[in-house]
Amino acid sequence: MKISIIGSGYVGLVTGACLAETGNEVILVDISEGRVGEINAGKCPIYEPGLQELLQKHIGSRLKATTNAQEAIFQSEIIFICVGTPQSKDGSTDMQYVISAAKSAGIAIRGRKDAPIIILKSTTPPTKIDEVVLAIENSSGKKDGEGFYFFTNPEFLREGSAVKDFQKPDRIVVGCSEGKSSEMLARLYSPFGSKMFFCSSKSAMMVKYASNSFLAAKISFANEIGNICKKLGIDSHEVANGMALDRRINRAFLDSGCGFGGSCLPKDTASLAFEAKMLGECSSMLSAVLEVNKNQPSKVIERLKTRLGSFSGKKIAVLGLAFKPGTDDIRESPGMEVAFLLHSQGAKVFAYDPKATENAKKHAPALNYCKSAKEAIEKSEAAVIMTDWKEFAEIDTEKYVLEGKRILKLKKPNYEGICW
Ligand code: UDX
């Protein structure tokens, strides 16, 4: 099928590359000339395992990028909207990019006789879906269900495993209004052999918000239990292992530690809490999930202070700046938060991350960056592990090490965990 994807960021790029892999003709649209140039040169603008190979395999044949939305969209049978929906300062979702993409799509389909499918993949609050449809109708002069067919199709990709998650999803959620034929989507996604779940377009987006908020809630619950365990001298990961034997609970997302980061769990949970507030509904659980998470990095600081006393002049290694292993993304990263806090309290921070150092340098130039964990530890009197990169598992030092994320293989008297 001929597909155009508006927005070639993290989701758009992975979606485009994976749909090209299953035989579709894909045109990625982006406003950034630089990014379009990189993609057409077969250079992947983001670090995601497997994505560079897919890009190189299909670029120039089934996959290309352009800044010309009209030309790209005009020919396509399916148009994906994959632009960002950042959170505004007041907590609401900034819809400007989605609305602008919707208008571009509407203008591009104006003269067409056929009725293309327009799929909203960007994470969008259910209360804003009608606004998106209206933007397409007003700019195209056509009606949803006649001159085009609108669907929602949230993504559930995890950074660091986005290609794998797209190609082997637990489920594909498709939202549409009554009576619309989703045969084209079933055909589009059939190569992935995954369960397809059809529901209303607003329910589909709520599945995304509720799923991410629940995952965040599991982590914050694990961290609240972990903070109590730490005070009792109990290993919270041992407790989680025991809990997980109840199949209704299961072990995933019960790893206590320094808290969750990334561009999704924090934002989606906060957006849902904001929507609830706007509706006059209580969001005490969602707010508590965010509160526990916000406080977790200071638990790391408290623990370090108990051990080292004042930070002034102290040399401390911060190992791990990405919000999770397998990515170079430092958004909402607990490692960056702890590095900032230590630096602001007078410590000399020696930071290291296998992938995220370049991104970190742009945000925190005052830190000292090292080329290895070994170098950072050698230059410091203590270390804190904030991202569970596999390479940290083998660390063996006589210096004090505090684990914000569990990864160390060795058990040593000078090693301890934030919740164990
Ligand atoms: C998440 C959702 O998993 C994904 O389905 C959605 O589409 C996007 O948001 P992502 O943010 O990329 O994916 O990574 P994820 O693996 O969920 O980890 C998020 C954060 O939670 C990381 O900082 C990780 O370290 C932390 N985490 C995860 C924990 O602290 N404990 C856990 O048990 C699991």
Side-chain angles (χ1 to χ4, degrees):
M1 288 182 229
K2 289 185 184 313
I3 296 170
S4 55
I5 297 180
I6 309 174
S8 59
Y10 172 71
V11 174
L13 207 46
V14 172
T15 302
C18 292
L19 291 179
E21 177 69 0
T22 53
N24 299 287
E25 256 184 76
V26 179
I27 306 182
L28 290 161
V29 180
D30 204 283
I31 48 171
S32 153
E33 293 273 358
R35 180 164 280 240
V36 165
E38 270 187 301
I39 294 168
N40 286 330
K43 202 176 155 316
C44 192
I46 55 170
Y47 172 74
E48 220 11 273
L51 189 55
Q52 176 70 40
E53 294 78 355
L54 278 182
L55 210 57
Q56 265 167 352
K57 181 176 172 185
H58 297 297
I59 205 72
S61 55
R62 283 208 285 258
L63 183 64
K64 72 175 187 176
T66 176
T67 53
N68 184 334
Q70 298 311 309
E71 170 208 295
I73 298 169
F74 182 66
Q75 299 296 338
S76 39
E77 301 157 83
I78 295 182
I79 302 150
F80 276 97
I81 297 176
C82 291
V83 293
T85 49
Q87 202 177 11
S88 306
K89 286 225 179 342
D90 66 0
S92 65
T93 299
D94 181 350
M95 290 294 293
Q96 62 172 308
Y97 306 110
V98 168
I99 297 301
S100 150
K103 285 178 180 163
S104 291
I107 293 164
I109 66 169
R110 224 179 248 162
R112 285 176 60 164
K113 299 274 175 293
D114 63 338
I117 283 178
I118 300 180
I119 301 175
L120 177 62
K121 205 173 231 324
S122 308
T123 305
T124 301
T127 50
K128 305 277 186 196
I129 302 282
D130 293 340
E131 199 181 311
V132 181
V133 178
L134 213 55
I136 302 169
E137 289 184 333
N138 292 342
S139 53
S140 65
K142 297 168 182 270
K143 276 276 179 232
D144 177 23
E146 292 161 22
F148 65 91
Y149 294 101
F150 177 82
F151 292 83
T152 55
N153 173 220
E155 52 80 20
F156 298 95
L157 311 178
R158 288 167 301 165
E159 291 198 36
S161 55
V163 171
K164 190 162 67 62
D165 288 348
F166 191 98
Q167 293 179 328
K168 290 194 177 53
D170 287 348
R171 77 304 206 186
I172 293 169
V173 175
V174 173
C176 60
S177 44
E178 279 302 304
K180 262 186 204 154
S181 151
S182 39
E183 188 270 333
M184 280 273 269
L185 272 93
R187 205 146 49 84
L188 177 75
Y189 284 126
S190 62
F192 303 109
S194 160
K195 240 192 323 307
M196 290 195 75
F197 176 76
F198 294 95
C199 56
S200 77
S201 48
K202 292 177 183 171
S203 299
M205 279 302 171
M206 185 50 96
V207 167
K208 165 77 176 176
Y209 281 100
S211 300
N212 269 5
S213 300
F214 183 71
L215 291 170
K218 275 193 95 171
I219 297 168
S220 281
F221 179 82
N223 285 338
E224 192 146 89
I225 297 296
N227 294 337
I228 299 166
C229 286
K230 182 65 183 176
K231 289 279 169 51
L232 295 172
I234 296 171
D235 179 345
S236 56
H237 281 233
E238 201 172 45
V239 172
N241 293 340
M243 289 169 66
L245 298 176
D246 180 328
R247 63 177 176 281
R248 295 167 303 174
I249 298 177
N250 94 48
R251 184 63 180 74
F253 282 68
L254 283 183
D255 286 338
S256 53
C258 55
F260 59 83
S263 63
C264 292
L265 293 195
K267 176 172 80 82
D268 292 354
T269 309
S271 300
L272 191 54
F274 180 85
E275 294 297 314
K277 205 170 79 195
M278 288 300 110
L279 295 165
E281 271 308 317
C282 147
S283 62
S284 47
M285 283 185 72
L286 295 170
S287 309
V289 168
L290 294 165
E291 191 60 23
V292 169
N293 195 56
K294 186 163 146 289
N295 295 333
Q296 219 47 23
S298 46
K299 293 281 179 195
V300 172
I301 297 296
E302 276 164 39
R303 201 75 214 152
L304 278 171
K305 201 163 275 182
T306 310
R307 178 78 186 214
L308 304 174
S310 149
F311 293 135
S312 158
K314 293 275 173 31
K315 294 175 181 164
I316 302 174
V318 175
L319 306 178
L321 300 169
F323 81 90
K324 65 181 277 194
T327 177
D328 59 357
D329 192 343
I330 58 169
R331 285 176 290 183
E332 306 287 324
S333 156
M336 291 301 292
E337 173 69 8
V338 161
F340 278 136
L341 289 170
L342 289 172
H343 178 74
S344 64
Q345 293 181 37
K348 197 167 165 56
V349 175
F350 292 93
Y352 167 71
D353 187 284
K355 287 284 174 201
T357 298
E358 285 320 306
N359 285 339
K361 277 180 181 168
K362 291 179 205 143
H363 283 76
L367 303 182
N368 306 287
Y369 291 93
C370 299
K371 293 194 171 21
S372 69
K374 187 166 177 290
E375 179 197 342
I377 293 170
E378 273 164 6
K379 290 181 174 171
S380 308
E381 54 204 275
V384 59
I385 297 176
M386 295 300 291
T387 312
D388 39 331
W389 286 103
K390 280 205 175 59
E391 68 176 72
F392 296 157
E394 311 303 332
I395 287 173
D396 183 1
T397 174
E398 296 319 311
K399 295 178 181 174
Y400 171 67
V401 179
L402 175 62
E403 278 182 298
K405 289 281 164 75
R406 195 141 178 165
I407 190 69
L408 290 171
K409 278 210 185 100
L410 295 174
K411 297 266 170 277
K412 298 180 82 152
N414 52 304
Y415 288 177
E416 69 168 317
I418 184 65
C419 292
W420 50 90

